């Protein structure tokens, strides 16, 4: 059987107070801040996966605004070759509450650039977050 990359989504949720980040509860990067996101389920559209992951990890319902980019460096994730489709979104409902594999969720006015997981600093910059 051939090996194939795994597909994930990441979501940049901007609010009037800043950008939403989750503290990872699992390895890799346990305890680091990251964008809400996760693996796309078989049969699921990536847009649906992005909205589901945002809700599961942050308690927020979001509307996707645009694709920020596709990140495919085979070394971006220590678990293997993981490709991520990353979206910019805005909150349309819900209440901020950590869930799923996020141990904490917070809106950052100032992004903790040095404490970010994966290549999320690059993704945030590509989304226009400074």
């Amino acid at each position: 059987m051939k090996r194939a990359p795994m597909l994930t989504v990441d979501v940049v949720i901007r609010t009037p107070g800043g950008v939403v980040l989750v503290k990872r509860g699992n390895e890799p990067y346990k305890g680091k801040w990251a964008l809400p996101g996760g693996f796309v389920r078989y049969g699921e559209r990536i847009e649906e996966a992005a909205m589901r992951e945002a809700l599961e990890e942050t308690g927020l319902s979001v509307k996707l605004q645009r694709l920020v980019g596709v990140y495919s460096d085979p070394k971006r994730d220590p678990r293997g070759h993981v490709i991520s489709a990353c979206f910019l979104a805005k909150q349309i409902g819900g209440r901020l509450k950590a869930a799923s594999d996020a141990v904490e969720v917070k809106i950052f006015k100032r992004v903790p650039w040095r404490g970010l997981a994966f290549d999320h600093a690059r993704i945030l910059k590509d989304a226009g977050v400074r």
Side-chain angles (χ1 to χ4, degrees):
M1 181 181 217
K2 283 186 181 179
R3 293 180 64 191
M6 296 171 280
L7 181 61
T8 63
V9 291
D10 289 302
V11 187
V12 178
I13 306 170
R14 296 189 79 168
T15 71
V19 66
V20 178
L21 297 174
V22 296
K23 186 176 275 188
R24 292 184 53 81
N26 298 319
E27 293 295 348
Y29 301 107
K30 183 177 181 176
K32 296 280 191 181
W33 290 100
L35 294 167
F39 289 95
V40 178
R41 295 176 180 158
Y42 186 82
E44 183 178 45
R45 294 174 63 232
I46 60 171
E47 296 86 355
E48 293 166 346
M51 293 183 289
R52 173 183 53 77
E53 285 289 345
L55 181 62
E56 285 178 3
E57 292 190 356
T58 70
L60 302 178
S61 298
V62 299
K63 179 179 181 182
L64 303 181
Q65 297 178 296
R66 69 174 174 88
L67 181 68
V68 173
V70 176
Y71 298 82
S72 61
D73 182 340
K75 295 182 181 4
R76 68 179 296 274
D77 189 317
R79 295 172 288 193
H81 189 179
V82 177
I83 296 171
S84 185
C86 304
F87 293 91
L88 180 64
K90 70 176 182 175
Q91 177 186 356
I92 57 170
R95 224 178 77 241
L96 202 61
K97 178 179 182 271
S100 187
D101 59 351
V103 294
E104 189 179 343
V105 62
K106 188 175 172 182
I107 297 173
F108 285 89
K109 189 74 130 178
R110 293 182 122 134
V111 175
W113 296 107
R114 292 178 195 242
L116 294 176
F118 305 102
D119 54 356
H120 291 184
R122 177 179 172 207
I123 294 168
L124 284 164
K125 288 176 183 171
D126 288 352
V129 175
R130 299 289 174 240

